[in-house]
Amino acid sequence: MFGAATSRSIAIDAMGGDRGPDAFAQGVALALKDPEFDTNFDELILVGDESILFPALRKAGISGEKRIEVHHASEVIGMDEKPLMGIRRKPDSSMVQALHLVRDGRASALLSCGNTGSLMAGGTLRIRPLPGVERPALGTIIPTRESKFILLDAGANPEPTALQMCQNAILGSNYAKVAIGKERPRVGLLTIGTEEGKGSARIHESHERLKQLDSVIEYTGLIEGFQVFQNHVDVVVCDGFTGNIVLKVCESLFKMLSGYLKDELSANWLRKTGAFLSMGAFKEIKHQLDPAQYGGAPLLGLKAPVLKAHGSSDSESIAGALKIAANALKYDMTEHIREDIEKATQVLERISEDNSTNGPEKEMASS
Amino acid sequence: MFGAATSRSIAIDAMGGDRGPDAFAQGVALALKDPEFDTNFDELILVGDESILFPALRKAGISGEKRIEVHHASEVIGMDEKPLMGIRRKPDSSMVQALHLVRDGRASALLSCGNTGSLMAGGTLRIRPLPGVERPALGTIIPTRESKFILLDAGANPEPTALQMCQNAILGSNYAKVAIGKERPRVGLLTIGTEEGKGSARIHESHERLKQLDSVIEYTGLIEGFQVFQNHVDVVVCDGFTGNIVLKVCESLFKMLSGYLKDELSANWLRKTGAFLSMGAFKEIKHQLDPAQYGGAPLLGLKAPVLKAHGSSDSESIAGALKIAANALKYDMTEHIREDIEKATQVLERISEDNSTNGPEKEMASS
């Protein structure tokens, strides 16, 4: 029965992803070495083919760990399968079984590196959104020089209404508390010019509503593209179309630059020597900015934390995602989101009523 | 009288921008050293305060050049003035005077580093869009490791219709010929997943229309954010909201990374020595990727080429922008755009008629 779970157990879809179950077993082993993580969960349930998972756990040296369980599932949803097809046609897949463990209260959070579309569809259909949440949003962590910020929605809902944008702000604010440890995260709305009248109808309507939500979130106003890396805000709210493109363009630009630099630095012996001497600089930057360490992008707004890690996640990324999932349970992110959404709905409904009493005003946009 | 100009004269709003008239005079001097540029224009008309411009030209060592003229204008539109206000209230500003030189056929192209909003409003109102062009678009050049691409619209029209998106594809294709020298530029439509059904209504409708335009442009289909730096296309078409954000996020990420690297490389003597030895690598990358060298972002679709250069442009950026303006005149970009828009309008109208004859179908979106 949903919601009955008081345990802090995490279901892991251990078959999805490009690197296979070994990466999961090693990721779990890595996470267990962190004493904080160790006290933050009750059980880890690896879901997948037993005949593969048991050897993987042995190989990673954690087959004896009491709080690790294996839940057998015979199928796997492929990375290229059509999202809904996979969920519907493979009831015994590791992803669907993991979803059901959460739905049925056996686990309280889920981690998967599998097919993103299937996880979004499956999470929405099987775990369901929280009451009042119109559409879940995909949150991502983007590292900057001094800190990091949450960008959402990264692609779950390409054309949100103004109300859904406000809900995204609340989802992102709660995720920032869990994932980057901010007590009162600053939330900005991404647009193309902070002057009056610039942007789009969606931006104007969202901005007006967000300004009313100061009892719920710390909304600092509109921000432009050039400000996202300047530590102005902890949460950047945008529609899922813009967010997905921004995320992918950033990842791709970073990758292009790293590869370019690497090749140029090994073009001759002089440069190679120089690069060797200044190695520390590159390591420091890589350590701060490498997206791999922030392994998870949660589908926010569901009745339990559902984290999607990159298909190409290695053990380090998986360990990072597991820690975020455990943090989300420790902080009870889902309950906080539920309360905040309820509060915001009341505020926005009151304004909407005032507007319709006080004269003709634009109705609140709603899908 | 508009359109009567057969000369290749370029009007330069020489007062706008952060660095003042000296940067323009030096930029002109730099451009004149390029033998190709030298044969590509008839006259350069610097518009602004005579008492400042003449000394600036002397200082740059080009006061004797016969094909340089100074057109006096007593006012300047500030960088922070409201776009339309500036245009309306300062008829004797360097920007308005430069616009009028083009409108009246005294010049055939315009370059300004001034207030972007004023230039967009002024260009649209005083120079006017070409027949059939619904809204002008701002085109920008983004360098990549192997090449560069045109991103448009970078902010002129945040919420275009599908028809306007198709027109942007045509504008961008012609600009790519001029600015990056491609004979048949590959045009892609930026979206968030190339699978059937992903994206937005705007993307679906634009994609269907663009597929019909193979007699006009080389449309290669949908592309995702991670592909823009992978040399898949020469022109990336998107709405002005997404384009502006992508451009500013990229610039800002690049700037953050450069600054970070510079600081880390000078953190101690070992790293400094290393950086000195591998200097060549950094120079090569900076040379290839520095956005400054691609000084101009044209407002495309007007009756004459109007180029906006960064407010912070130095002489090198201004020289780069002047060469692009001269190239646009040499190639007769405006005439090619006019022809292509006419062709595309015929194709799209024919399809629209066929659709209404053959049964009920969605009407062509139009503002």
Side-chain angles (χ1 to χ4, degrees), chain A residues 55-341:
Chain A
L57 287 172
R58 257 197 306 280
K59 204 170 140 195
I62 48 169
S63 56
E65 166 69 50
K66 274 175 201 154
R67 294 180 298 162
I68 295 180
E69 203 191 298
V70 169
H71 179 96
H72 183 69
S74 62
E75 296 173 295
V76 180
I77 296 179
M79 295 303 263
D80 297 321
E81 283 190 59
K82 289 203 171 173
L84 267 175
M85 288 290 198
I87 294 295
R88 288 195 175 136
R89 296 208 181 150
K90 291 186 172 168
D92 200 40
S93 61
S94 55
M95 188 187 286
V96 172
Q97 285 297 312
L99 286 164
H100 289 180
L101 287 177
V102 177
R103 182 193 65 186
D104 301 337
R106 271 281 290 117
S108 329
L110 191 158
L111 171 64
S112 172
C113 298
N115 185 314
T116 309
S118 290
L119 188 66
M120 292 203 294
T124 308
L125 292 170
R126 303 289 160 91
I127 298 184
R128 305 295 303 161
L130 282 163
V133 172
E134 291 204 349
R135 293 280 296 268
L138 207 53
T140 49
I141 304 174
I142 298 189
T144 69
R145 183 172 171 176
E146 289 89 11
S147 177
K148 42 204 161 190
F149 65 91
I150 306 293
L151 175 81
L152 89 167
D153 171 25
N157 183 10
E159 297 182 282
T161 62
L163 176 62
Q164 289 162 2
M165 292 281 277
C166 292
Q167 297 195 334
N168 287 354
I170 293 168
L171 300 176
S173 176
N174 276 285
Y175 183 52
K177 292 177 191 176
V178 165
I180 59 182
K182 293 269 173 174
E183 272 198 32
R184 196 158 168 84
R186 298 157 299 168
V187 179
L189 181 61
L190 187 59
T191 186
I192 63 167
T194 51
E195 308 91 2
E196 202 69 28
K198 277 207 122 184
S200 63
R202 175 184 290 134
I203 293 297
H204 302 316
E205 289 172 26
S206 305
H207 179 57
E208 288 310 314
R209 281 171 183 73
L210 284 166
K211 284 195 284 187
Q212 311 298 329
L213 293 182
D214 51 359
S215 63
V216 187
I217 53 167
E218 175 97 6
Y219 178 58
T220 58
L222 300 167
I223 58 162
E224 287 197 58
F226 69 89
Q227 295 172 308
V228 299
F229 288 106
Q230 294 174 350
N231 199 24
H232 285 269
V233 296
D234 307 301
V235 181
V236 173
V237 176
C238 60
D239 63 83
F241 185 85
T242 308
N244 184 276
I245 289 174
V246 164
L247 176 68
K248 290 189 176 164
V249 165
C250 284
E251 284 179 347
S252 155
L253 176 56
F254 185 77
K255 207 170 150 187
M256 177 192 78
L257 288 173
S258 316
Y260 198 175
L261 191 59
K262 204 171 167 188
D263 290 350
E264 285 297 330
L265 285 174
S266 51
N268 59 45
W269 67 266
L270 186 68
R271 292 185 188 175
K272 272 186 203 164
T273 311
F276 179 74
L277 295 179
S278 43
M279 185 80 79
F282 306 115
K283 277 195 177 156
E284 200 129 328
I285 294 174
K286 188 174 188 302
H287 174 75
Q288 173 65 19
L289 297 184
D290 192 4
Q293 63 188 304
Y294 310 107
L299 189 60
L300 295 161
L302 299 179
K303 288 182 175 173
V306 172
L307 266 101
K308 166 70 179 78
H310 255 292
S312 60
S313 293
D314 57 12
S315 54
E316 205 181 332
S317 311
I318 288 166
L322 277 173
K323 287 177 200 173
I324 291 176
N327 260 350
L329 293 177
K330 183 187 179 187
Y331 163 81
D332 206 351
M333 181 175 79
T334 304
E335 178 56 18
H336 282 92
I337 290 176
R338 199 194 56 71
E339 285 169 12
D340 284 351
I341 291 284

